[in-house]
Amino acid sequence: MTKTKLSRGSKILLLVTGALLLMVLWSLLVVSPERAKQLDAALPQPPRLWSAAPPPQPAGIAGYALDLLQDRESGAVTPLSLPTLAALPSSDGEALLLRLLPNQAPSAAPQRDAQFLAAWLAELPGQPAVFLAYDWPLLEALGQRLPELILAFGSLERTLQRQAATPSPWLGGRDLSAVEGSVPALVVAAGGSLWAPSLSELRPVDMEDARAAGVAVLVSDVGDAEALPSLLLLRPAGLITAQVAAALEALAQSRGLYAPASGPQ
């Protein structure tokens, strides 16, 4: 059997091909520090965790979520989840998320109620980090008085009223059918950039809509610890949960989904 003798050109081609293969393998196995930084920058930041449980809490949370109920007659605001604001470990208010729970109907006088709320917020030691409400006209009126306040536009099935013959008053009369049912699109129409659905009513398609609209998603009422790994795959911007320890553990086990960080910022 005769051996085939390679030409000089063939030998050079084989050497070049082998060198290229080695370079590709080396780049896959060894990542330079500069490239590693680029890869980390392409990953999203971990979601901020807002604790719905009373203190003390472990490190790694963004702050505490305090539920409020406003009496439409007197205008009084009552904290529900904690006895007093003084019970919070932070006194400056900057780590506080306030959530105004919905009454039976949205405010009949959003400008009046927004004026009262703005005055009430001004009495706090510091402006809260986020103010969440389900009454969108009230949020819009509050945003006009406090433009620096971060507003989260909340939604529940009962406030969306998808099956109603007319647009929901909770949404300021905006028509969901006009945007093919996309709540994030209505958030943008209301001048917002942060949407707060509940976990039980959040769908993967909603997250896709939010990303397409440039709207961040703050998921509220995250009470199911077993749902946390699947929820983190959707990469929300924040969570409101009483299961803080479970959420921190789920985040620690989700390496690769988010940019390296010591904890939610």
Side-chain angles (χ1 to χ4, degrees):
M1 186 174 181
T2 58
K3 295 182 178 179
T4 303
K5 192 171 183 179
L6 296 176
S7 66
R8 181 181 178 83
S10 298
K11 290 180 180 179
I12 294 175
L13 182 60
L14 284 174
L15 287 173
V16 172
T17 303
L20 290 174
L21 287 173
L22 286 174
M23 290 174 64
V24 171
L25 288 173
W26 180 260
S27 66
L28 291 175
L29 295 174
V30 179
V31 179
S32 67
E34 292 77 14
R35 179 57 178 161
K37 290 180 180 179
Q38 293 175 356
L39 292 173
D40 290 343
L43 293 172
Q45 292 298 316
R48 294 164 66 93
L49 299 184
W50 301 94
S51 174
Q57 293 288 348
I61 65 171
Y64 293 88
L66 181 65
D67 285 342
L68 308 172
L69 182 65
Q70 183 183 12
D71 185 276
R72 296 300 188 200
E73 297 297 328
S74 66
V77 175
T78 306
L80 297 183
S81 61
L82 293 174
T84 62
L85 292 174
L88 293 169
S90 173
S91 60
D92 59 10
E94 294 177 357
L96 186 62
L97 182 151
L98 297 177
R99 179 171 63 169
L100 186 63
L101 297 178
N103 285 338
Q104 295 302 314
S107 171
Q111 293 292 339
R112 179 204 64 191
D113 288 346
Q115 182 177 0
F116 171 82
L117 279 171
W120 184 81
L121 290 170
E123 295 177 358
L124 297 180
Q127 182 169 286
V130 181
F131 190 89
L132 190 166
Y134 301 88
D135 187 337
W136 291 20
L138 179 60
L139 275 180
E140 293 176 83
L142 184 61
Q144 293 170 3
R145 287 168 171 76
L146 300 174
E148 301 84 9
L149 183 62
I150 298 176
L151 302 177
F153 287 72
S155 68
L156 300 167
E157 280 304 313
R158 78 174 182 89
T159 63
L160 294 177
Q161 299 180 4
R162 296 181 189 269
Q163 307 303 321
T166 57
S168 171
W170 293 96
L171 309 180
R174 295 181 176 87
D175 191 353
L176 265 175
S177 63
V179 289
E180 299 181 347
S182 173
V183 182
L186 287 190
V187 171
V188 173
S193 59
L194 182 59
W195 175 42
S198 66
L199 174 61
S200 62
E201 298 171 359
L202 180 66
R203 305 168 301 174
V205 67
D206 295 326
M207 296 295 293
E208 295 173 8
D209 286 348
R211 275 189 282 269
V215 171
V217 179
L218 170 65
V219 186
S220 65
D221 302 318
V222 182
D224 185 0
E226 294 182 357
L228 283 165
S230 298
L231 176 58
L232 292 177
L233 289 174
L234 298 178
R235 295 175 177 170
L239 309 176
I240 301 175
T241 180
Q243 306 288 335
V244 177
L248 289 171
E249 182 179 356
L251 269 176
Q253 295 175 354
S254 299
R255 296 174 182 174
L257 282 177
Y258 300 100
S262 58
Q265 300 298 317

